[in-house]
Amino acid sequence: MEPEAFNQSLRKFLKTVGVSSHREIEQALRAALQQAKLAGSDVIAAKMTLEIPALGLKVPFDGKLSLR
C-alpha cells in the first residue's frame, strides 16, 4: 500500500460524498418545504451509513439537521 496514494483517494472519495450528499439533502429539503411536508423551523433526524464491503465495514452515523 502507498499511504500517500491511499490518502489522496480517500480525501477525494470523502469530498465527493460530502458535496453530493449536501446537494441531495438541499434538493429534498426544498421539495419537502414546497409540499408543506416540513415547517421551516423543524429539526429533522438524519442517518447515514458508511459501507466498505471488502473491509467488512458498516458504520452508522446519526444526527439532526436544524432548519432554524
Side-chain angles (χ1 to χ4, degrees):
M1 180 176 91
E2 292 184 35
E4 185 61 33
F6 170 72
N7 285 331
Q8 283 182 337
S9 67
L10 179 57
R11 284 192 298 267
K12 183 178 179 182
F13 172 73
L14 291 174
K15 183 176 180 180
T16 299
V17 168
V19 171
S20 298
S21 297
H22 191 138
R23 181 178 57 246
E24 293 294 328
I25 292 166
E26 282 188 338
Q27 288 174 355
L29 177 61
R30 277 193 218 101
L33 289 170
Q34 286 177 346
Q35 297 168 11
K37 291 181 178 179
L38 291 175
S41 60
D42 287 342
V43 174
I44 52 179
K47 294 183 178 194
M48 184 174 287
T49 302
L50 171 64
E51 276 188 76
I52 304 177
L55 300 178
L57 180 69
K58 186 172 184 177
V59 183
F61 295 92
D62 296 312
K64 294 182 181 178
L65 304 174
S66 177
L67 305 184
R68 235 175 204 221

